[in-house]
Amino acid sequence: TQEGDEQSTRAAISTSDSKVINWESDDKISIFDGTKNNLFTLKNGAGTKSATFQGVAASAETYTAVYPYQSEATLSGTSVKNVTLKPTQTATANSFDKEAALMIAEGGDGKTLNFKNVVGYVKVKPTFNCTRIDLKAFDNSAVLAGTGTVSYNGGEPKLDLSNAETKDYAITLRGDIKANKYYYIAVPPVTLKAGWTIQFTASDGKVYSRKGTNPITFTRNKVTNLGEFATTGDYDPRGDIVRADQEVDMGVFTIGDKNYRVIFAKSNLTANGLATNEYDYGDYFAWGATEPWYHSATNTWKEGKEAGFTEANAPILSKTYKANEVLSSSDDATRQILGGDWQLPTTEIWKALWDANKNKVYWGPDGNMRYDTISGIKGMKISKKDDPYTYIFLPAAGSAGREVNNVGDFGYYWSGTANSSTKPYYLYFTITGGNPQEFIYFYYVGLPVRPVRLVEVSLAGSGQGETEGIEEDVFKY
């Protein structure tokens, strides 16, 4: 709900009911009588959801109207062409840019038109002063603004920007954006692919950008609340080399005494980043080694490590680890190779994931802990219970000593938690099924690595967002 108590001097959200949009004194509309686009201006009813407009139009059986006034718009059949959704919108505290608040109406009684919202709204609350906010589609994959066609569609308006001469894949909100005020961005009904971003330019010139790790859908006549944004949290650039399509958001889990969004890499770690495919075994690392000794893609050993994963080849750690200590970033291959806040999954992370089996996730088909096969490779598929298309696949890559063993039968993945100075934990699962477990192993043994990163949910600001309904406007002319 809208919590502010400051009404714009233009078309604005009501101060008493955030789901009502009120008319304002300088509002103008286009009314189409079948031959002309006629300008009508507000006569009375400012500050309410019902108002009277005045102007001149020819007599017609049916009228179509568009808000705000569109000087270049024309009526074509039952659609209105050359209607513009602005790519740059004016920031208004606790409200929106009236020139972007597209609505359409149809009527035939010559007295009343019931307007329907064409757009939805994104709601944000920065906790710092800004000069602009930018909402961007990933890889220009969705049109967010431009000049297109609007149709009433029986009371479920449609906005078609697909044939727009000028297409914008981002919307910018500009102005004196004050801390702790809500701001609304008018958006078309569209789904943005994972990787979409929202970027805040602070008054001091610093830029804070967050990446949406899930797709997000904007709906006509709905407010999508993205929540509060502070100057701390999961901002880009994170300093990593991982693309949006290379990570999987598995949802929110309690780890320790906090809730985190758990985001896994889609594939195993290699010397230069991530394996190409989710079913690739990746490279094999000793615990605490920041580069691999064995490369599965080429079946080759690192020069000088041809003897394999032996105690003599053990990596030199930055410190002596005690029981339950977490691998430091300087010894963590994921952090050193990928950058950002990527890490080896700790025992707490692995445990949170398997404790959620049949609750939030499924380990194997229907949570039966048995293997799936992808592109001929066996492994453990961990999928979200409410979205089976969101999953990670851990290939059964076995382990490496003097040679690689148990490929296709056993899954071993390093944990970032030490059991003692020489034996860390690792995740274990098998083709025969049964609960995944954590065992301990000598740190110089070679195992695959699946990177993860955590985003505290209070700082996430990049999920699907809550939706809130909007009452639609009525006016008389």
Side-chain angles (χ1 to χ4, degrees):
T1 58
Q2 174 71 22
E3 297 175 345
D5 192 27
E6 180 177 329
Q7 185 167 314
S8 169
T9 57
R10 298 179 172 183
I13 292 173
S14 168
T15 58
S16 60
D17 185 347
S18 66
K19 295 182 180 180
V20 173
I21 297 176
N22 287 334
W23 297 102
E24 291 302 317
S25 59
D26 58 351
D27 283 338
K28 300 178 180 68
I29 59 174
S30 290
I31 290 185
F32 302 89
D33 55 22
T35 58
K36 289 180 61 179
N37 175 357
N38 304 284
L39 170 64
F40 276 58
T41 58
L42 186 133
K43 180 179 180 182
N44 55 52
T48 70
K49 67 176 184 177
S50 296
T52 300
F53 282 71
Q54 62 184 1
V56 178
S59 177
E61 292 185 3
T62 300
Y63 295 93
T64 299
V66 170
Y67 174 88
Y69 176 67
Q70 305 273 326
S71 62
E72 301 299 319
T74 58
L75 185 67
S76 176
T78 58
S79 299
V80 181
K81 294 183 175 181
N82 297 322
V83 175
T84 299
L85 176 58
K86 295 170 59 179
T88 300
Q89 301 176 16
T90 301
T92 304
N94 300 319
S95 194
F96 49 80
D97 181 353
K98 75 166 189 175
E99 298 298 330
L102 294 180
M103 295 186 286
I104 190 171
E106 280 187 359
D109 64 359
K111 295 181 179 180
T112 303
L113 288 172
N114 295 317
F115 268 85
K116 299 288 185 179
N117 289 303
V118 173
V119 296
Y121 293 91
V122 169
K123 175 181 175 182
V124 295
K125 183 182 180 181
T127 61
F128 52 99
N129 294 334
C130 301
T131 58
R132 62 185 288 171
I133 300 172
D134 294 273
L135 178 68
K136 301 178 182 180
F138 173 67
D139 199 26
N140 292 346
S141 55
V143 180
L144 284 172
T147 300
T149 300
V150 176
S151 58
Y152 187 70
N153 190 40
E156 291 293 331
K158 289 186 177 180
L159 173 62
D160 183 4
L161 298 174
S162 60
N163 295 318
E165 290 186 9
T166 301
K167 298 178 181 179
D168 291 277
Y169 306 97
I171 294 176
T172 299
L173 192 68
R174 287 183 178 271
D176 185 14
I177 300 170
K178 297 295 187 183
N180 300 313
K181 298 287 186 180
Y182 287 104
Y183 290 86
Y184 293 76
I185 304 169
V187 292
V190 69
T191 296
L192 303 186
K193 292 169 58 176
W196 59 272
T197 57
I198 187 162
Q199 180 175 287
F200 299 80
T201 302
S203 296
D204 62 5
K206 293 182 180 178
V207 177
Y208 302 89
S209 179
R210 283 185 181 165
K211 181 191 300 181
T213 55
N214 286 329
I216 189 168
T217 298
F218 304 136
T219 304
R220 185 196 74 80
N221 197 40
K222 293 287 185 181
V223 173
T224 301
N225 185 359
L226 296 185
E228 286 190 6
F229 293 82
T231 55
T232 57
D234 186 39
Y235 282 109
D236 286 327
R238 298 190 306 252
D240 64 359
I241 61 173
V242 180
R243 303 189 310 270
D245 61 344
Q246 292 179 302
E247 59 185 19
V248 180
D249 186 342
M250 294 299 293
V252 177
F253 296 81
T254 300
I255 299 168
D257 59 354
K258 293 183 178 181
N259 292 327
Y260 293 93
R261 191 169 293 282
V262 177
I263 301 170
F264 274 92
K266 202 170 185 176
S267 57
N268 285 348
L269 189 67
T270 68
N272 299 313
L274 295 172
T276 302
N277 303 299
E278 61 188 347
Y279 50 81
D280 292 339
Y281 297 135
D283 292 345
Y284 293 73
F285 294 78
W287 194 82
T290 57
E291 55 183 341
W293 294 174
Y294 183 76
H295 310 282
S296 68
T298 57
N299 295 319
T300 57
W301 292 90
K302 174 179 168 58
E303 185 177 352
K305 302 294 183 180
E306 293 86 354
F309 290 91
T310 64
E311 188 171 6
N313 274 341
I316 299 174
L317 304 178
S318 66
K319 58 181 285 187
T320 299
Y321 288 91
K322 299 178 182 178
N324 298 317
E325 275 196 292
V326 175
L327 195 65
S328 67
S329 59
S330 61
D331 292 332
D332 189 328
T334 61
R335 180 68 58 85
Q336 296 303 309
I337 294 172
L338 302 180
D341 54 0
W342 291 96
Q343 65 175 86
L344 277 167
T346 61
T347 56
E348 287 184 311
I349 295 172
W350 283 128
K351 188 175 187 302
L353 198 62
W354 81 58
D355 282 348
N357 187 40
K358 297 186 178 180
N359 179 16
K360 291 184 178 181
V361 299
Y362 285 131
W363 284 67
D366 299 319
N368 64 13
M369 304 288 186
R370 294 193 176 274
Y371 283 0
D372 279 282
T373 300
I374 297 180
S375 294
I377 303 299
K378 297 176 181 177
M380 185 66 71
K381 185 178 182 180
I382 307 169
S383 57
K384 294 182 71 172
K385 184 177 179 180
D386 60 356
D387 180 10
Y389 296 103
T390 298
Y391 65 89
I392 57 172
F393 181 70
L394 303 175
S399 62
R402 295 185 183 276
E403 58 184 21
V404 179
N405 303 293
N406 300 313
V407 172
D409 292 327
F410 296 101
Y412 304 96
Y413 282 82
W414 278 128
S415 162
T417 306
N419 174 265
S420 67
S421 61
T422 59
K423 292 183 179 180
Y425 289 97
Y426 67 93
L427 175 72
Y428 165 81
F429 51 85
T430 174
I431 195 171
T432 59
N435 290 335
Q437 301 176 55
E438 281 207 309
F439 292 130
I440 58 174
Y441 219 163
F442 289 109
Y443 75 102
Y444 53 78
V445 170
L447 300 183
V449 169
R450 179 57 62 93
V452 71
R453 65 184 184 90
L454 303 179
V455 179
E456 191 175 345
V457 292
S458 60
L459 303 175
S462 58
Q464 176 63 39
E466 301 175 45
T467 56
E468 305 170 351
I470 303 173
E471 285 188 27
E472 299 182 343
D473 298 312
V474 179
F475 84 98
K476 296 181 179 180
Y477 69 94

